[in-house]
Amino acid sequence: MCGIVGYIGNKSAAPFLLDGLTKLEYRGYDSAGIAVFDAHDVFIEKSVGRLDALKEKLKGVTLDGVIGIGHTRWATHGRPSDQNAHPHTDCNGEFVVVHNGIIENFMPLKEALIAKGHHFTSETDTEVVAHLIEEFYEGDFAAAVRAVLKKIEGSYSLVFMSEKHPDTLICAKQDNPLVVGLGDGENFIASDIPAIISRTRRTYILNDGEIAIVKKDSVEITDREGKPVDKKIFHVSWNAEAAEKGGYEHFMLKEINEQPKAVRDTMSKRVAKDGSRITLDELNWSKEFLDGIDKVYIVACGTAYHAGLVGKFYIEKLARILVEVDLASEFRYRDPIVDEKTLVIVISQSGETSDTLAALKEAKRRGARTLAVTNVVGSSIAREADQVVHTWAGPEIAVASTKAYTTQLILMFMLALYMAQLRSTVSDERARELIGLLKKIPAQISETLSDVEPIKTFARRYGFNEDVFYIGRSLDYDVALEGALKLKEISYIHAEAYASGELKHGTLALIVEGVPVIALATQKSVYEKTISNIKEVKARDAVVIGIAADGDEEIGKFVDHVMFVPDTDELLIPLLAVVPLQLLAYYAAITRGCDVDKPRNLAKSVTVE
Ligand code: F6R
């Protein structure tokens, strides 16, 4: 999500920090800051906005300090602002910290620290880390860091600097990337390799639970107990462009592979520890609030609209409230039946799509209660809506949305279950069962991503067809729509999704010998019907590729090829079924030589009507 850099050596730190942050700006760009320690003081400068705004503030400032840290932010806790930008300090400005990740238990820690007299200046989760180290410090910097790490829960890569120890930087990692670059008489720290690749290719890639004590001539790595870890040097062979994509050929592939983490982050802190409830603390709804709502409208565009279709299914199935789903560009001109008893949920990765924003304003004008589901803290849509729940997917760079979709799905699922628990429309037993399965989804996505060879083969075999059809029933149909959109937008193959039951009302006329049909068959409640639709297209000599759940021994009898995904409840399986479809679109685009990350005629964020 955020980008982190650190420098310690004989040269001025600031040029490396700014250069490194420039290379990392793709990770986050709502604010940035640096801290540099010269002989006497820590100098800190931060600025909301892109890195250029920080560079502008630093114009004319001479910074000679040879130790420093920097950060480019993608807001999670606390909107983008100068105050919330990193680095953060303790009460006396003696300890300085930058952080990437989410400190899940920051609220109780913050309350306890305030009760002890600590003074906070930001809304971030990170600032508790700076105050905690102030609390624990007794002369040993590394021991204080270890004590802090024992207190915090969640994910982090952290870098600490202290004016009491002007020869040391300490960094620590849990569930977020962190790398130490080894130089001669100087060492570097970064969240990602692109930041350091122009300075060194000799690195230590830190593992979870490891702490690095970095001086200009040495790097000592320990575990959280302070026990030394024997680490091998990793020589980076990637070029700068590949490094930015984490070694993947395209941002889209990188983002597809980031889905387990993105989904895990989006779930984090929102499931009660005992697995009994969904806890969307940011909403704080009650049964009375929901009783005052007679209809939900979900409004969005493109992939986010497809996530909305799945969201409708979830809310109706679990919370038993009527849901309409509409395209934002239609809703705003429809004279929609919306009043103060309507809850309008807008979904938008960027939070800036102009049709979605206009639809939200229209809904508000008509008196609806509004909720935004967005990936960007402080975006226009986040600011306009009455309430916001964020997906924690991190910046999505590729035009074709992937990790945003799966995080939107997981959030809509949690929202629906949250509403259902408030309304008592699911039993405690069913809720526990679903939450148990929900927690397994990140690992199951990883499993789905582990074997791409068959998908590459299909892409090579069918990547030059002019038309591809996607069919499915129930939630499989919603996923089919997303699969077809992915294929269209990046491979330029004409792809259409149909509800299987609709085939014989027209589309079947297009099914002729050799036409590829991707048939989703993951929904157990409509499985028999789906099979009979597959037989219909097979009878017209289509080439059928089935998407089915592990353990399905029937499907192979009716289709030409099968891609299996791990089995789970049919409500959750869209999160897994979409993954092979994303990969199929990706590899089809590669087969056809298309520009995957920047498809023709499309922009990442559609801020014009
Ligand atoms: C497709 C895609 C678009 C977006 C749509 C809405 O891969 O990315 O269809 O989903 O433009 O964008 P947001 O979610 O930013 O409102």
Side-chain angles (χ1 to χ4, degrees):
M1 299 221 199
C2 309
I4 286 181
V5 287
Y7 176 86
I8 183 161
N10 293 319
K11 302 187 191 117
S12 166
F16 165 74
L17 299 179
L18 291 174
D19 181 52
L21 291 180
T22 308
K23 303 277 169 27
L24 296 182
E25 214 182 359
Y26 68 91
R27 283 187 70 88
Y29 34 75
D30 60 44
S31 50
I34 59 168
V36 174
F37 185 67
D38 65 20
H40 307 289
D41 291 308
V42 175
F43 167 89
I44 297 180
E45 188 60 272
K46 353 195 216 183
S47 177
V48 69
R50 308 217 44 144
L51 193 56
D52 282 345
L54 175 68
K55 289 181 181 164
E56 194 56 38
K57 277 193 176 174
L58 289 169
K59 261 194 190 146
V61 179
T62 313
L63 289 173
D64 296 326
V66 293
I67 170 167
I69 58 180
H71 189 268
T72 173
R73 181 167 187 247
W74 176 263
T76 55
H77 293 74
R79 77 210 135 83
S81 67
D82 284 356
Q83 286 77 14
N84 289 336
H86 299 213
H88 291 288
T89 63
D90 66 319
C91 296
N92 306 316
E94 289 172 344
F95 294 97
V96 191
V97 64
V98 288
H99 167 224
N100 171 22
I102 298 172
I103 308 296
E104 292 182 5
N105 58 340
F106 86 100
M107 268 322 279
L109 290 172
K110 185 169 176 173
E111 280 158 18
L113 286 160
I114 289 172
K116 283 187 159 183
H118 287 260
H119 174 62
F120 281 74
T121 57
S122 79
E123 303 157 314
T124 63
D125 50 340
T126 305
E127 196 182 343
V128 294
V129 176
H131 292 275
L132 278 176
I133 192 158
E134 174 188 3
E135 195 64 29
F136 290 129
Y137 181 75
E138 285 175 351
D140 182 336
F141 192 11
V145 169
R146 288 198 297 272
V148 171
L149 299 184
K150 289 205 174 103
K151 279 276 169 196
I152 58 177
E153 291 166 16
S155 64
Y156 50 78
S157 43
L158 285 161
V159 189
F160 297 86
M161 185 168 91
S162 166
E163 62 176 44
K164 292 171 181 289
H165 297 270
D167 61 347
T168 309
L169 288 176
I170 300 184
C171 56
K173 169 189 152 54
Q174 183 63 45
D175 293 327
N176 278 290
L178 199 58
V179 45
V180 179
L182 308 172
D184 286 328
E186 59 182 357
N187 288 311
F188 311 88
I189 297 170
S191 51
D192 303 77
I193 287 170
I196 56 169
I197 205 164
S198 62
R199 311 288 174 128
T200 181
R201 287 177 177 272
R202 295 166 58 236
T203 64
Y204 288 133
I205 311 270
L206 295 197
N207 291 326
D208 284 348
E210 290 179 348
I211 299 171
I213 300 156
V214 184
K215 301 185 187 253
K216 72 183 169 68
D217 295 312
S218 67
V219 177
E220 182 194 344
I221 298 181
T222 74
D223 66 12
R224 271 191 220 130
E225 303 305 321
K227 222 169 95 222
V229 173
D230 194 14
K231 199 94 189 147
K232 286 208 169 50
I233 291 179
F234 175 73
H235 286 266
V236 179
S237 56
W238 305 330
N239 62 27
E241 202 198 335
E244 199 172 77
K245 293 172 189 147
Y248 291 100
E249 208 179 325
H250 295 97
F251 278 113
M252 183 181 176
L253 190 58
K254 175 170 181 268
E255 288 160 7
I256 289 173
N257 279 280
E258 282 171 352
Q259 290 181 110
K261 176 166 164 40
V263 165
R264 193 177 296 116
D265 285 352
T266 300
M267 271 159 50
S268 108
K269 257 183 81 180
R270 287 166 167 162
V271 178
K273 279 215 169 91
D274 65 1
S276 64
R277 298 194 76 74
I278 297 294
T279 52
L280 286 170
D281 292 340
E282 52 270 74
L283 296 184
N284 209 8
W285 287 348
S286 60
K287 180 172 179 330
E288 292 65 43
F289 172 82
L290 290 177
D291 285 347
I293 286 168
D294 61 10
K295 182 175 60 185
V296 175
Y297 239 116
I298 302 178
V299 184
C301 301
T303 287
Y305 168 75
H306 293 158
L309 293 172
V310 177
K312 167 187 164 77
F313 196 96
Y314 289 162
I315 295 174
E316 289 188 341
K317 182 87 182 170
L318 295 171
R320 310 303 296 157
I321 304 178
L322 176 73
V323 184
E324 301 275 354
V325 193
D326 211 349
L327 294 161
S329 52
E330 294 292 323
F331 174 89
R332 57 187 292 200
Y333 298 116
R334 194 189 287 292
D335 191 11
I337 302 173
V338 166
D339 58 24
E340 52 292 335
K341 294 188 95 184
T342 315
L343 169 68
V344 173
I345 304 175
V346 291
I347 307 178
S348 173
Q349 184 285 127
S350 62
E352 300 297 343
T353 301
S354 78
D355 280 323
T356 312
L357 181 58
L360 170 61
K361 287 182 178 162
E362 180 60 25
K364 275 180 81 177
R365 204 180 60 76
R366 288 170 187 252
R369 301 146 200 238
T370 58
L371 169 68
V373 172
T374 179
N375 196 35
V376 182
V377 176
S379 57
S380 305
I381 286 173
R383 281 182 278 125
E384 185 69 33
D386 299 333
Q387 290 190 290
V388 188
V389 275
H390 289 103
T391 50
W392 299 134
E396 198 178 55
I397 311 287
V399 166
S401 189
T402 53
K403 61 177 180 170
Y405 175 75
T406 37
T407 53
Q408 286 159 357
L409 252 49
I410 209 92
L411 200 53
M412 292 311 293
F413 180 82
M414 287 192 292
L415 181 67
L417 191 48
Y418 172 73
M419 292 164 81
Q421 291 194 295
L422 288 175
R423 284 170 54 82
S424 304
T425 48
V426 281
S427 68
D428 289 350
E429 198 189 347
R430 174 75 172 140
R432 263 186 192 283
E433 181 196 14
L434 286 171
I435 290 171
L437 293 169
L438 180 70
K439 287 183 174 166
K440 292 186 183 161
I441 291 291
Q444 290 182 314
I445 298 178
S446 299
E447 197 184 326
T448 312
L449 289 165
S450 63
D451 184 15
V452 296
E453 282 315 311
I455 300 175
K456 283 185 185 171
T457 310
F458 296 139
R460 278 194 287 267
R461 196 174 298 170
Y462 303 111
F464 288 100
N465 278 65
E466 286 310 309
D467 307 287
V468 175
F469 293 89
Y470 289 70
I471 59 170
R473 281 178 178 259
S474 181
L475 284 171
D476 278 337
Y477 170 50
D478 298 335
V479 177
L481 285 164
E482 176 57 10
L485 177 63
K486 286 290 91 83
L487 191 70
K488 277 187 262 217
E489 64 177 328
I490 58 168
S491 76
Y492 317 143
I493 296 173
H494 170 234
E496 293 298 337
Y498 287 96
S500 311
E502 273 291 294
L503 277 173
K504 45 176 131 17
H505 299 287
T507 313
L508 210 49
L510 293 173
I511 306 296
V512 291
E513 187 181 349
V515 167
V517 174
I518 317 275
L520 286 101
T522 71
Q523 295 294 303
K524 294 193 175 84
S525 51
V526 287
Y527 186 77
E528 294 307 325
K529 307 251 174 234
T530 302
I531 293 294
S532 88
N533 297 129
I534 290 176
K535 286 182 184 163
E536 280 167 8
V537 291
K538 260 323 288 168
R540 273 84 190 168
D541 293 324
V543 178
V544 182
I545 301 168
I547 308 283
D550 276 344
D552 180 344
E553 286 167 9
E554 288 296 298
I555 186 97
K557 297 179 198 155
F558 308 107
V559 300
D560 297 280
H561 316 277
V562 195
M563 293 194 240
F564 286 106
V565 295
D567 198 12
T568 181
D569 192 276
E570 65 179 3
L571 288 177
L572 289 165
I573 211 160
L575 281 144
L576 307 172
V578 76
V579 175
L581 304 187
Q582 295 168 339
L583 289 165
L584 188 67
Y586 174 78
Y587 287 111
I590 297 288
T591 303
R592 294 163 71 98
C594 301
D595 185 349
V596 172
D597 283 338
K598 293 198 184 74
R600 71 183 178 208
N601 306 341
L602 298 176
K604 181 66 190 158
S605 182
V606 185
T607 51
V608 289
E609 204 187 329

